[in-house]
Structures are given as C-alpha cells and as structure tokens.
C-alpha cells in the first residue's frame, strides 16, 4: 500500500494504474470495478475518468447517462446497465441478486462507450 491518496475519493490507492481503464475494458466494467474498489464518487467522476482516458471526444457521455437515469457512478451499473442475467447469483435468502463482482471484461473496440457483453440495458430488462 502506498501513501498515495486518490483525489476523488480520498482513499488510499495501490498504484495509479489501478484507477485507469484497462486497454480494452468497457465503461460499465471500469465504473463497476472502481465503485467496488474505491467507492462511488457521488457524481459521474469515474465515468469522466473513463472518458478522458479512453473516449476523449465523447463529450456528451455524462449527459447521455444522466438522460438514462444515472445520478452517480454506482447508478450507471444499476439503473442504466446491469450485469446480464447469466451472472446473477442466489442469495442466502433465496433471491436472485446481481453479482458484487463481475468477471474480467471481455473487451470492447477502442473508443467505444458501450458496455461489453457482460451487461444488459435496464431498459431492455424491464419489459
Ligand atoms: Zn453512487
Ligand atoms: Zn466490460
């Protein structure tokens, strides 16, 4: 553990690479991974981190997510996209619940702001 403190969350981070998107990691996997490790920023700062490093020209990205109901990072992988049904797990109470961790991102093409195949749009689920 280093003594580097993350500027957004004020929690210690292990290395700067830990808070950057991996080379072909998708937006949903990155945001979900960061919220799991570092916590929600209570804004869309992990989304912005992704945009700056991976899809710099997608300046409307945050606005598009807000239009789909996102209010903060953790809501991106709750109200906009959710882990696909194949990943859900049975809780001890006998309910199907979304997984706390998702498998490693299978990747998306460079510059894409779409999630990978691990995720489904909530709008599609709620039929
Ligand atoms: Zn949140
Ligand atoms: Zn992914």
């Amino acid at each position: 553990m280093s003594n580097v403190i993350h500027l957004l969350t004020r929690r210690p981070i292990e290395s700067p690479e830990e808070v950057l998107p991996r080379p072909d990691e998708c937006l949903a996997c990155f945001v979900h991974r960061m919220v799991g490790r570092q916590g929600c920023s209570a804004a869309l700062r992990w989304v912005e981190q992704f945009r700056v490093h991976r899809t710099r020209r997608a300046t409307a990205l945050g606005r598009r997510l807000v239009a789909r109901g996102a209010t903060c990072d953790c809501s991106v992988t709750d109200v906009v996209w959710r882990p696909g049904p194949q990943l859900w797990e049975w809780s001890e109470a006998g309910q199907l619940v979304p997984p706390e961790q998702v498998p490693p991102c299978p990747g998306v093409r460079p510059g894409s702001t779409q999630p990978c195949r691990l995720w489904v749009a909530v709008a599609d689920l709620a039929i």
Side-chain angles (χ1 to χ4, degrees):
M1 178 81 73
S2 74
N3 56 7
V4 178
I5 302 292
H6 194 270
L7 287 174
L8 302 182
T9 62
R10 309 206 180 279
R11 295 187 199 187
I13 55 175
E14 285 144 42
S15 69
E17 293 76 41
E18 289 292 319
V19 294
L20 294 180
R22 292 173 184 151
D24 62 353
E25 189 175 29
C26 76
L27 172 62
C29 286
F30 172 71
V31 170
H32 192 257
R33 190 163 65 85
M34 289 302 105
V35 169
R37 291 186 74 108
Q38 305 284 331
C40 179
S41 69
L44 291 172
R45 291 193 183 139
W46 291 125
V47 171
E48 181 64 7
Q49 172 96 323
F50 181 92
R51 187 188 70 77
V52 166
H53 288 277
R54 294 287 307 282
T55 59
R56 184 167 279 280
R57 282 177 294 174
T59 51
L61 178 59
R63 276 201 306 279
R64 285 208 319 264
L65 293 171
V66 168
R68 295 176 66 177
T71 52
C72 60
D73 295 309
C74 66
S75 64
V76 171
T77 56
D78 188 32
V79 304
V80 180
W81 299 306
R82 300 200 93 176
Q86 74 278 13
L87 298 174
W88 288 42
E89 299 162 347
W90 290 101
S91 73
E92 283 176 20
Q95 288 179 314
L96 263 181
V97 293
E100 256 167 50
Q101 294 198 332
V102 296
C105 184
V108 289
R109 62 178 173 75
S112 175
T113 58
Q114 291 302 305
C116 68
R117 57 184 159 82
L118 297 179
W119 302 87
V120 291
V122 170
D124 293 341
L125 273 182
I127 293 172

